[in-house]
């Protein structure tokens, strides 16, 4: 996505980019039940090919998606 590329070009680390897209966005939107994987929270989960904590391009290589606790086709 454009936003991820722009953040990387601006010098943000992969971990900061992931946090910006998840926990920080949820905090900004005041969505207390989302943004992190923790008991009692709501989460959609993606399985990536690669390690997005070291290579943000891995965010474009989605293998599987779980939405509302169910594996999406």
């Amino acid at each position: 996505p454009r936003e991820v590329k722009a953040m990387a070009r601006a010098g943000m680390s992969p971990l900061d980019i992931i946090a910006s897209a998840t926990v920080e966005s949820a905090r900004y939107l005041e969505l207390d039940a989302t943004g992190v994987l923790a008991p009692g929270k709501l989460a959609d989960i993606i399985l990536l090919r690669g390690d997005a904590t070291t290579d943000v391009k891995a965010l474009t290589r989605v293998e599987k998606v779980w939405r509302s606790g169910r594996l999406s086709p």
Side-chain angles (χ1 to χ4, degrees):
R2 292 183 304 210
E3 295 86 359
V4 170
K5 289 178 184 176
M7 288 186 264
R9 280 195 305 270
M12 288 178 70
S13 73
L15 280 175
D16 287 339
I17 293 169
I18 293 167
S20 176
T22 56
V23 68
E24 297 302 332
S25 293
R27 185 176 294 136
Y28 177 78
L29 296 171
E30 298 179 1
L31 301 172
D32 297 331
T34 64
V36 295
L37 292 176
K41 302 285 185 173
L42 303 173
D44 295 333
I45 303 169
I46 58 173
L47 174 66
L48 305 173
R49 182 181 308 160
D51 182 358
T53 65
T54 59
D55 177 16
V56 293
K57 292 178 185 175
L59 293 171
T60 64
R61 297 189 297 268
V62 178
E63 291 287 314
K64 294 182 181 183
V65 176
W66 285 265
R67 297 194 70 185
S68 302
R70 294 204 163 111
L71 183 60
S72 296

